[in-house]
Amino acid sequence: MQDVVALHGCLQLCGPSFALVRTRRISWTTASGIGEDRWADDCFPLLPNIVMTEEALPLGGILRSAREAAGWSLSRMGRVTGFSKPYLSKLETGEKEVRAWHIEAYDKALGGDSVRRRALLVMGAGMVSRTLWAELDTPSTPPSRLVAPDLAALEASADMLTGLGLQHGGRASAPAARGQLRYAVSLLHLDMPERLRARLLAAVARLADRAAWSMADSGQAKRAEKIYDFALTVSPDPVQRWLSLVNLANLRLEEDQPCRALDLLEQTEPDLPVLRFLTHSAQAHAHARIGDFGRTLRHIETADSAHAAVDLEDLPPAVRPYASGHQAHAHSAAGRALHVLAQAGRPRAAPLAAERLEAAVDAFGPERARAIASCRRRLAALP
């Protein structure tokens, strides 16, 4: 019953504003094996009752109006952002979908964050389109006000969901993560001081990242990618944005899209050692899938150096839940990339992969049973 208690803890975190609105049967993998379909509450909170069309989110028009207000031509915007003029034209006219990195590119080019803020205002009535709401399940009625305990509970619930997912996987955490995210998004339309709104947006972004990770881990890749895009759009926290970028890149790697993963990760170099470690670990995995032995080793070396520089006493809040098993992370990440090369027929990679994966198994604690199992599966599959 440990899993049931953990998920019911999520309900308790949200206090009186939280409500169950439907039930379904689910099953998930626990540390002891496959659990029964014994816990059916999907812990879905109350949500805004909003019907929106795609046309109600004119994000392309926001890009165009921001560019024109600055007196910029499409050609100039293309030169600064690196996108072609025809591509930008299609974004601004709605022929292509506007994604989080397009909004970021316009803000970076024009200075400030006005494009993102205007996008959030336009989305504020429902925050996301009907299509995205469908990814989070059926909407209902929003709460009437935001109180400080609810906000603190949302921040704490993101940590709890991270721990739940790391220990038991996405099937265990996905229902609660979706519920918490929908509850958090439903608060965004309320009036509140800017300080609280910034905290709320950060909590929404973290919960979106957790919901997306849970969906990806339980085989819902397309749904997960949409929620990652949402997390990248709303996050005011650069650390959380990097975490979501790395998680989205890892999703693309699992979908065998290494070039698309590298497109996300090669934009800039993060400052924090922990983010450099995560980024270069994902880049090593991507180059391994491409089959580039030399670049894989170089990124592993850079990731190892960044990992050695991580100060566990000075981790940003968004990263703290990952501190569990810190000593094993570098070995696990390196072993994953080297395992890919070994599976592709690179004989030099096999002993290197075995060494790193065995070190990871020894270093992970019992709370990281899933990570240990993954390392052991890779060890067993080495040629």
Side-chain angles (χ1 to χ4, degrees), residues 146 151 154-155 183-190 192 194-206 236:
L146 174 68
L151 183 52
L154 284 172
E155 293 167 336
Y183 170 77
V185 168
S186 72
L187 300 172
L188 285 166
H189 74 289
L190 301 176
M192 67 189 78
E194 283 300 309
R195 177 181 56 83
L196 283 184
R197 185 169 299 279
R199 281 181 61 190
L200 178 58
L201 283 171
V204 166
R206 286 194 66 196

Side-chain angles (χ1 to χ4, degrees), residues 249-278:
N250 283 325
L251 171 61
R252 291 179 174 177
L253 289 170
E254 292 302 317
E255 295 292 296
D256 200 20
Q257 300 174 12
C259 293
R260 291 189 70 209
L262 289 172
D263 286 343
L264 288 174
L265 299 173
E266 292 180 343
Q267 301 175 32
T268 57
E269 178 84 358
D271 295 328
L272 290 176
V274 65
L275 297 180
R276 289 201 304 276
F277 161 68
L278 294 171

